[in-house]
Amino acid sequence: MDIPSLRQAVEASPDNIPLLLLYAKALTDAFELDEAKECYEHVLKLDPDNPKAVMGLVNVLQQFGKYSEGIIRLEHLKSRNPTMAHAWLLLAELYLVDEQLKLAKEHYARACELDPKLRNPDLERRMGLSPATDEDAKKKARPMDIGGFAAGAVREPEEDEPERFDGTEALKLEFLDKREKIDFSSVGGMEQLKETIRMKILYPLQNRELFAAYGKKAGGGVLLYGPPGCGKTLISRATAGEIDANFISVGLHQVLNMWLGESEAKLHGIFELARQHAPAVLFFDEIDALAADRKDLRTSAGRTLINQFLAELDGNISDNKDVLVLGATNAPWHLDSAFLRPGRFDQVIFAPPPDEAARSEILGIHLKNKPAESIDIDKAAGAMKNFSGADIMAAVDTATESAVAEAMKKGKLVPISTKALIAAAKKTRPSTLKWFDSAKNYALYANQSGFYDDVLLYLGMKK
Ligand SMILES: Nc1ncnc2c1ncn2[C@@H]1O[C@H](COP(=O)(O)OP(=O)(O)O)[C@@H](O)[C@H]1O
Ligand SMILES: [Mg+2]
């Protein structure tokens, strides 16, 4: 579509994000860079972490020569989306023009690891790497093997190199979550989990003396496991908002960085940060990356890092008063068994796919503020059996897009319809089924001390 008609459509619905993104992209392609920049910035006001808008904006900034702003924005995006290969690649380019060759190489290597298709001989030449062959790339593309950086880009710790760990300010910047707080009202369903969390931290904070009388403190550790997209990350962030605590979030890529030689000191620093900022929720996302029972890691840091983590968690090192440690994983079977011993995470909780009532709630949350008044939410929820929260969100996106397309044709707002939602649901394969295929085997054959009982219950294989 051409720029004038997009502009017209944007004027008709100025807060329509997908439409704004189309418009901004068209402006960029036409080198209307100032306007494109404005448009992306507008999207980011509406949706501060929108990955497409960040990538688009950085692309424009790059053309203005504003590399540092681009880097800052991308680093932030990357910390939210650690597996977004394109973000790593664009960062590599920016670091390269910013003459930070080492960082450029590391980021390029990670980008190729996440998506081997992103290999770019031209960029490799500019970074002074000898272009790798396709075979090499395939070998190096094993996910999670952070030892497997592509040609020349491995960060080997040098012998006399000082610890990269550099104190609280840096940790604060990297880990303390500054985003606007969300609370449990943004999380559909998960009632039982919400109550468990309240019991561990909210009520003890509110009724200190009562809990003290029973020898109970606020805080502790809860491990969440379950299929991807079912709200583990979301509810962790919402917990901080719910109890008005600080949220300290350690994502996958930060954990992986720890393997690159900053490990124990940094991990200790992170726990200290949480203690200093109590009440706090300290969240380790995809904790299996930290705690994996993996023998193939090239570093021997594995064992000591795990021990460090457990000691911090046990409160052996310092009191974890008013700190709730949450860990989340989609792959509990990869966890080192030391993590699951009693007294570590005091509770291990299964986060199942949303049931029908929860699906209705999630639909309500994601349709809020959209033209969708007359939708039969319960009917749509009924068509989304086995859907994860993320699947539901994707179906809403698809239905929204078709409403936008129609709206542009008609030149007026067209509400999202129940029919479009159900059609979108039919086209989506629920993503949780695959997870249960794996989980079932572990639940049946490796169900030590009933760890997976909840999975069996959910599958109706146990009463
Ligand atoms: N219970 C829920 N309520 C509202 N949205 C949800 C829910 N579960 C998932 N979502 C949506 O799906 C996205 C992905 O969920 P996430 O919490 O990252 O899943 P997980 O960490 O379990 O893989 C969330 O950002 C949210 O938009
Ligand atoms: Mg998650």
Side-chain angles (χ1 to χ4, degrees), residues 21-94:
L21 287 172
L22 272 180
Y23 182 45
K25 173 82 172 53
L27 288 169
T28 312
D29 291 344
F31 286 98
E32 308 269 7
L33 298 180
D34 284 315
E35 229 180 313
K37 179 164 173 278
E38 249 178 61
C39 190
Y40 281 126
E41 282 167 350
H42 181 53
V43 174
L44 291 171
K45 270 198 206 103
L46 301 169
D47 180 10
D49 284 326
N50 187 297
K52 282 189 186 147
V54 177
M55 294 288 287
L57 177 58
V58 172
N59 181 15
V60 173
L61 289 170
Q62 193 182 9
Q63 305 194 40
F64 283 132
K66 292 189 170 178
Y67 304 129
S68 350
E69 185 185 341
I71 288 173
I72 292 169
R73 288 188 178 273
L74 277 178
E75 280 292 352
H76 185 76
L77 175 69
K78 190 186 86 181
S79 73
R80 302 269 163 260
N81 306 276
T83 55
M84 190 172 162
H86 282 95
W88 288 86
L89 184 68
L90 190 49
L91 260 172
E93 292 206 47
L94 285 175

Side-chain angles (χ1 to χ4, degrees), residues 9-262:
V10 164
E11 273 158 16
S13 56
D15 290 346
N16 184 321
I17 291 175
L19 183 60
L20 284 164
L21 287 172
L22 272 180
Y23 182 45
K25 173 82 172 53
L27 288 169
T28 312
D29 291 344
F31 286 98
E32 308 269 7
L33 298 180
D34 284 315
E35 229 180 313
K37 179 164 173 278
E38 249 178 61
C39 190
Y40 281 126
E41 282 167 350
H42 181 53
V43 174
L44 291 171
K45 270 198 206 103
L46 301 169
D47 180 10
D49 284 326
N50 187 297
K52 282 189 186 147
V54 177
M55 294 288 287
L57 177 58
V58 172
N59 181 15
V60 173
L61 289 170
Q62 193 182 9
Q63 305 194 40
F64 283 132
K66 292 189 170 178
Y67 304 129
S68 350
E69 185 185 341
I71 288 173
I72 292 169
R73 288 188 178 273
L74 277 178
E75 280 292 352
H76 185 76
L77 175 69
K78 190 186 86 181
S79 73
R80 302 269 163 260
N81 306 276
T83 55
M84 190 172 162
H86 282 95
W88 288 86
L89 184 68
L90 190 49
L91 260 172
E93 292 206 47
L94 285 175
Y95 278 131
L96 183 63
V97 288
D98 202 40
E99 298 181 31
Q100 306 199 48
L101 187 59
K102 193 160 148 193
L103 281 170
K105 285 180 181 173
E106 283 176 12
H107 282 77
Y108 176 67
R110 185 74 184 130
C112 297
E113 235 184 327
L114 290 165
D115 184 357
K117 285 196 295 297
L118 292 185
R119 278 195 45 232
N120 177 334
D122 180 49
L123 192 61
E124 280 178 20
R125 217 167 299 120
R126 283 163 57 211
M127 292 192 301
L129 298 172
S130 49
T133 63
D134 279 344
E135 266 316 295
D136 287 342
K138 256 183 234 146
K139 259 187 253 156
K140 309 235 153 149
R142 278 170 299 156
M144 304 298 301
D145 174 6
I146 47 91
F149 277 156
V154 187
R155 183 185 177 280
E156 299 283 5
E158 289 144 35
E159 244 175 74
D160 296 325
E161 195 179 5
E163 279 273 24
R164 272 212 286 172
F165 169 65
D166 52 2
T168 342
E169 270 315 303
L171 287 176
K172 215 159 119 181
L173 270 179
E174 186 174 0
F175 295 102
L176 197 61
D177 195 303
K178 283 276 167 32
R179 283 179 295 170
E180 202 184 316
K181 291 199 163 143
I182 56 164
D183 60 23
F184 281 172
S185 67
S186 305
V187 183
M190 306 186 101
E191 291 310 328
Q192 223 181 328
L193 183 53
K194 285 177 184 168
E195 191 56 19
T196 304
I197 289 173
R198 288 192 192 104
M199 198 63 195
K200 284 210 92 60
I201 185 125
L202 180 64
Y203 303 146
L205 287 175
Q206 289 171 338
N207 310 284
R208 279 194 193 276
E209 279 165 23
L210 187 145
F211 274 77
Y214 292 90
K216 290 250 175 236
K217 283 196 238 168
V222 177
L223 178 67
L224 308 174
Y225 75 95
C230 289
K232 297 183 294 298
T233 304
L234 184 70
I235 199 171
S236 300
R237 189 172 155 224
T239 299
E242 184 73 16
I243 62 175
D244 198 20
N246 287 301
F247 187 48
I248 293 159
S249 164
V250 186
L252 179 67
H253 93 282
Q254 290 150 324
V255 168
L256 291 176
N257 276 341
M258 284 194 217
W259 290 110
L260 296 174
E262 319 170 54

